[in-house]
Amino acid sequence: MAVTEVAQSRRVVTEIPGPKSRELQERRVAAVAKGVGSVLPVYVTRAGGGIVEDVDGNALIDFGSGIAVTNVGNADPRVVERSAEQLGRFTHTCFMVNPYEAYVEVCEALNRITPGDHEKRSILLNSGAEAVENAVKIARSATGRQAVVVFDHAYHGRTNLTMGLTAKNMPYKQGFGPFAGEIHRMPMAYAYRWPTGPENCGPEAAAMVTDQITKQIGAENVAAVVIEPIQGEGGFIEPAPGFLPAIVEFCRANGIVFVADEVQTGFARTGDMFACEHEGVVPDLITTAKGIAGGLPLAAVTGRAELMDAVHGGGLGGTYGGNPTACAAALASLEAIESDDLVGRAREIGDLMLGRLRKLAEEHAIIGDVRGRGAMIAIELVKDDKTPDPESLGRILSYCHSRGLVLLSAGTYGNVIRMLPPLVIGDDLLNEGLDILAEAFDRL
Ligand SMILES: *Cc1c(COP(=O)(O)O)cnc(C)c1O
């Protein structure tokens, strides 16, 4: 069960997916709704550290962390022990019926570790989408305004409101409308694709956004600006330098709630505890989920006490929000992040990956951009003149999968390879994964 029990080496003993996985896949097709996809239909029996083991006896290198969730690794013994201890005492009372200490402790921890030393409050929920929905509810209630500003390439979830906040139509929105009103989309400071060059991107994009908000919506009507401090599903787009601070300044000057959606970037992933810290940005509200509880479902909104407490009693909540087992897992996971200095480890991972990928980019013209921070690194594949190249991405991914490397894609144009290894992965596995990726480019 513990991390050390899963041998930290790659082992490919069958085709991938192997015969047992393919059998399970047949059962799945007959039983599971088709709309739920799987990047790599290899059925898992055990996972730990940087390795995922499957039903056919293969051991795959994990460059996905279940989409930036298992930052502390899979089945970290501290997370397992503390959750199991809680499970043995009680499974659920509903915090809105009979509260318990672990929920309060998680909120205290979030209030302490999120950016800014102002007084804060938190609420616990089940998923990232639910956290974003609640942040919008809180901002609207606190400001008495309705408009919400979001950005090109944004991803905020799959519920009705968060689909509306999300930019990309296929597969997230197609056929699922109508979407909620009062959602306004603005240009993103995407340095690699900025028409006048990356050095002008931050200030020019910020000027466009503030101008469009003023002219098209009216700043006095805007409840919240919601933004990912590094866009995740959109392709690991880091806002160009200066963009986020300029947007925050505009929000402060106009009474707009600045919401940082750190569902993917949070909890040491980017080499800071939260990605906002990179430019000293202090959000009014911050949404978290994915990396919060070592794999158990938990999410939160944390923010300024006066905003969070503006909502009437009983206005926020949910049956399962802040489930006691998930809270216990979060407390153990946060302790592991702090005591093992996973922030520092994420920076080391970033240095190693960026170093090797930048060299790879010199050898392969198809790699147009290498970007990201910490253990959240991406490469964007292009043809001449930056035309997106999703076809080559498909071939690279299948090769890596066949060699036992779990690798994900992203991006509005489906041409970004994203790497999100667990922060406890060893350098040897990291290098081996990058070797496989390099082979894939050589064979293209
Ligand atoms: C994954 C994600 C969400 C949605 O989280 P779920 O737990 O899947 O609902 C929201 N925002 C961002 C930035 C995400 O990466």
Side-chain angles (χ1 to χ4, degrees):
M1 199 180 338
V3 172
T4 47
E5 288 179 30
V6 176
Q8 294 298 296
S9 57
R10 181 176 65 105
R11 189 173 64 241
V12 178
V13 295
T14 68
E15 267 182 274
I16 291 190
K20 287 184 181 154
S21 275
R22 291 201 300 268
E23 221 177 282
L24 281 163
Q25 184 68 7
E26 272 178 36
R27 277 172 55 196
R28 172 210 171 120
V29 168
V32 180
K34 193 171 99 185
V36 193
S38 290
V39 175
L40 178 53
V42 149
Y43 286 74
V44 177
T45 50
R46 212 165 60 141
I51 289 289
V52 174
E53 293 182 347
D54 77 4
V55 286
D56 291 290
N58 300 299
L60 289 73
I61 299 177
D62 183 9
F63 271 16
S65 300
I67 317 187
V69 168
T70 54
N71 293 8
V72 299
N74 235 303
D76 176 281
R78 293 159 290 189
V79 172
V80 173
E81 261 164 50
R82 197 150 173 176
S83 322
E85 190 276 334
Q86 172 59 47
L87 264 175
R89 285 191 293 120
F90 60 93
T91 53
H92 172 85
T93 59
C94 185
F95 192 75
M96 300 184 305
V97 177
N98 295 118
Y100 38 88
E101 185 178 0
Y103 187 118
V104 179
E105 253 185 294
V106 172
C107 292
E108 286 169 347
L110 290 170
N111 296 347
R112 173 173 62 81
I113 65 174
T114 48
D117 49 16
H118 49 277
E119 200 179 336
K120 294 174 205 155
R121 305 279 187 270
S122 290
I123 175 174
L124 302 184
L125 304 143
N126 300 295
S127 71
E130 210 188 341
V132 174
E133 290 243 12
N134 275 274
V136 171
K137 282 165 70 171
I138 292 162
R140 282 178 170 158
S141 170
T143 58
R145 305 172 179 182
Q146 293 185 353
V148 180
V149 167
V150 290
F151 294 85
D152 286 337
H153 312 289
Y155 181 84
H156 298 292
R158 293 176 182 266
T159 58
N160 184 271
L161 177 62
T162 57
M163 270 194 294
L165 301 176
T166 291
K168 192 175 176 177
N169 180 51
M170 245 345 237
Y172 306 124
K173 301 162 79 164
Q174 176 63 36
F176 298 143
F179 304 111
E182 282 303 333
I183 295 167
H184 304 267
R185 193 167 309 282
M186 297 289 154
M188 178 62 186
Y190 190 170
Y192 176 63
R193 293 190 178 276
W194 196 253
T196 59
E199 60 289 351
N200 301 317
C201 179
E204 282 184 14
M208 281 172 75
V209 169
T210 53
D211 185 62
Q212 285 188 28
I213 291 177
T214 309
K215 299 225 172 79
Q216 296 177 14
I217 317 168
E220 70 277 18
N221 299 315
V222 178
V225 168
V226 182
I227 189 164
E228 298 154 89
I230 297 178
Q231 291 183 317
E233 306 302 302
F236 288 15
I237 302 166
E238 285 181 88
F243 181 73
L244 285 180
I247 300 296
V248 172
E249 196 186 310
F250 177 79
C251 288
R252 294 280 136 80
N254 291 282
I256 299 168
V257 178
F258 180 84
V259 182
D261 181 355
E262 293 239 18
V263 166
Q264 190 154 161
T265 49
F267 304 103
R269 173 56 56 187
T270 63
D272 286 296
M273 187 61 92
F274 294 98
C276 274
E277 294 167 32
H278 184 69
E279 285 190 286
V281 162
V282 176
D284 299 311
L285 301 179
I286 177 167
T287 56
T288 54
K290 293 191 167 97
I292 193 173
L296 275 82
L298 189 70
V301 184
T302 300
R304 294 184 187 280
E306 65 274 20
L307 296 174
M308 297 292 294
D309 283 343
V311 178
H312 52 277
L316 302 174
T319 306
Y320 288 118
N323 169 271
T325 304
C327 285
L331 291 169
S333 170
L334 292 177
E335 254 174 57
I337 290 171
E338 289 187 317
S339 67
D340 300 353
D341 185 26
L342 293 186
V343 167
R345 179 60 191 149
R347 288 189 184 202
E348 288 172 8
I349 291 172
D351 290 344
L352 191 158
M353 295 187 101
L354 285 173
R356 287 201 55 181
L357 292 169
R358 283 183 182 137
K359 270 201 207 108
L360 198 66
E362 283 167 20
E363 295 159 20
H364 300 278
I366 184 180
I367 302 178
D369 196 22
V370 177
R371 58 176 178 254
R373 298 201 298 268
M376 184 169 183
I377 303 292
I379 52 182
E380 177 160 356
L381 305 190
V382 293
K383 299 173 188 157
D384 302 340
D385 65 26
K386 298 191 179 178
T387 306
D389 188 355
E391 295 79 21
S392 296
L393 177 135
R395 284 154 66 196
I396 300 266
L397 244 54
S398 348
Y399 178 79
C400 291
H401 292 166
S402 75
R403 302 300 311 276
L405 174 65
V406 180
L407 196 61
L408 311 176
S409 64
T412 301
Y413 315 109
N415 66 328
V416 175
I417 297 177
R418 57 165 156 177
M419 285 156 261
L420 294 161
L423 307 182
V424 295
I425 195 171
D427 281 356
D428 47 348
L429 285 183
L430 211 50
N431 276 313
E432 198 178 339
L434 292 168
D435 291 342
I436 294 171
L437 184 63
E439 274 166 39
F441 278 100
D442 287 339
R443 294 169 61 111
L444 202 64

